[in-house]
Amino acid sequence: MATMATTAITGARVFDGEKHLGVRTVVLDGPKIRQVGGDVPDGAEVVDGRGATLLPGLIDAHVHSAPGSRALALRFGVTTELEMQGLNTRENRALAAEDDTVADIRSAGFAITPPGGHPSELMPEGFRPAGDLPPVMPLMPFSTTPEEAAAFVPQLLARGSDYIKFMIDDGSVEGHPGLPMLDQATLNAGVAEAKKHGALTVAHTLTLDATRMAAEAGVDGVVHVFMDRPHTAEIVDLVAGAGMFVVPCVCLDASMMGITGSDLADDPRVARRLDVKWAETLRASYDRYPQGKLEDVLETVRALDAAGVDILAGTDASMAETFFGGLAHGASLHRELRYLVAAGLTPARALRAATATTARRFGLGDRGRVAEGLRADLLLVDGDPTADIDDSLNTRAIWRRGTRFEES
């Protein structure tokens, strides 16, 4: 890693997270963006950005961390990950926040779900994830009543959860129908309590009915798009009318349908950044819902976007294990951008979904845009991904808090 007091990136087209600014000089001063436009300051280290586009560092709005996963994410220009179930609550991430060799992270902690509910069915018998135990073990908010769900919310927030997640899943998509599932009253009570504390709420919803439950409860956003049936005008209107955001995780839905990430793993821009274990994982798939239709999912995303719903880019990347296959941290976010474009978003709108829109919806006011005073989390890529989204993988340089990432 190479740290520079003042760096000027010159000659690059700048996409600020919302729109193209044209060719501008962007000056980094330590961990912050000092200026956008203007002249190169005396004594600045100059990075020639001609032929390239400068973007905000990307944000993956749905991950689950694993050993080495945040370092892998940063190698692909993902400077922030939003963990939707995991260990990286405030107490456990203090050191990582200052570590410019890995992506920054925010976390829900563990989601409110009944005992034996999702995601317990995903783990093979006897499986134990690798890695050391964290200094502070997570709170396991198993809830079966409205009173239990409401009581766990302030405990989760006190333990460092950045937002509150609810699992709404009967197991039907995962091949385990009949899983214990939160009922509407329990969900409503948990969401209402979170609102009392001013906390953002998200929900895991793989079915249309679960999505309806989330909307009726007042959840701020769902972190999957349903995959069990085509969309209806009623559900699109319900989500849009509720002001919810949606993190489609199309690449997860594709994996659930048995579609592997082999073609992504074969891309030399990806292959050189993956170790053997992650390459094997990317080449596999969940393959739990082969009857699903990817075109239905894309049509749903298209309809939600057309209705004005905020679409956020996320992957559901997890561990380097083939039973979580088809996904890899960092790499799969670029695949998700391609899926969003296939669903009808322009490349610029897809890039917003991985930068400014996610930062806005998750209250990350210090990142997600190229603007003066914000974190110098930046990605410089050859070409113009606002015209051809495939260019997002043409990495020329990455900065996290003004520190340039150097491939080892």
Side-chain angles (χ1 to χ4, degrees), residues 2 77 100 113 132 148 158-159 164 170 176 189 203 205 223 225 231 266 301 327 332 345 365 373:
D100 293 323
T113 194
D132 297 330
E148 287 175 337
R159 292 283 294 275
I164 304 296
D170 64 0
H176 286 78
T205 53
V223 293
V225 72
H231 70 275
D266 288 338
V301 175
L327 306 166
S332 291
L345 278 69

Side-chain angles (χ1 to χ4, degrees), residues 264-276:
L264 185 62
D266 288 338
D267 187 323
R269 299 171 298 176
V270 173
R272 65 180 175 80
R273 304 183 223 186
L274 299 179
D275 63 21
V276 171

